[in-house]
Amino acid sequence: MLKGNKVGLRARHEDDIPVLLDELYDDVVNASRAEGGPWRPLSPSTKDPRLVVDDTKEGSVPFSVVELENGTLIGTANLWGIDTHNRVAHIGLGLLPAARGKGYGTDVVATLCHYGFVVRGLHRLQIETLADNFAMLRSAERNGFVREGVLRSSAWVMGEFLDEVLLGLLAEEWKPGPR
């Protein structure tokens, strides 16, 4: 398990899937804002590719996020779009509603940066998020990410086009915090 100050990033367990499905992906508004496509209902027996881990898939590393203090599942995190030639990847995360607003997101981003830069030897990490996702923007910027641009009206979300913000961080700019 990768450990941050407040959170741990560990392998996805089978019993994580129903909780994540119920609290993150069955929430139409949240899922519509987090995914690149339209929300659709899934039966409980569906092997949702967003949650089921395929250990043979090299371009993505999914984690379950747990509180370090008690091991409680609080969300998901992912390093995705990993390009080993250019040494770049994207960061994504989703916190369960009860875990939001407690500083976990900032710690998840810091822990993913450690994984990307130290463990994987990447050169650049990137985040794309909706322009009104102030929690993610704050978490990214607290970890040194720089706003590189705005993709105007690039995301169709719940009946309207929204802007996305592109943020990047280079390995030489990253300042790891105390672990």
Side-chain angles (χ1 to χ4, degrees), residues 53-130:
V53 176
D54 178 356
D55 289 328
T56 64
K57 191 175 176 186
E58 291 293 321
S60 179
V61 181
F63 297 97
S64 285
V65 180
V66 296
E67 285 180 312
L68 280 180
E69 189 175 301
N70 56 20
T72 302
L73 177 69
I74 60 170
T76 66
N78 197 1
L79 203 66
W80 60 276
I82 300 170
D83 177 340
T84 56
H85 176 73
N86 293 305
R87 296 176 47 206
V88 301
H90 302 258
I91 284 178
L93 66 100
L95 296 176
L96 302 180
R100 296 176 190 154
K102 298 179 180 179
Y104 294 131
T106 299
D107 199 33
V108 171
V109 172
T111 308
L112 285 171
C113 287
H114 174 82
Y115 179 72
F117 292 135
V118 176
V119 177
R120 298 294 296 245
L122 298 175
H123 174 69
R124 173 187 166 82
L125 294 174
Q126 184 170 310
I127 295 172
E128 300 86 11
T129 190
L130 296 175

Side-chain angles (χ1 to χ4, degrees), residues 113-172:
C113 287
H114 174 82
Y115 179 72
F117 292 135
V118 176
V119 177
R120 298 294 296 245
L122 298 175
H123 174 69
R124 173 187 166 82
L125 294 174
Q126 184 170 310
I127 295 172
E128 300 86 11
T129 190
L130 296 175
D132 65 353
N133 187 348
F134 303 115
M136 185 61 177
L137 292 169
R138 207 170 26 255
S139 293
E141 290 171 341
R142 285 181 178 159
N143 279 289
F145 281 80
V146 175
R147 290 184 194 217
E148 296 179 335
V150 175
L151 305 171
R152 297 176 305 137
S153 292
S154 64
W156 177 253
V157 179
M158 300 298 290
E160 65 180 321
F161 284 105
L162 299 176
D163 294 348
E164 288 182 285
V165 177
L166 174 66
L167 302 108
L169 179 63
L170 303 179
E172 62 264 18

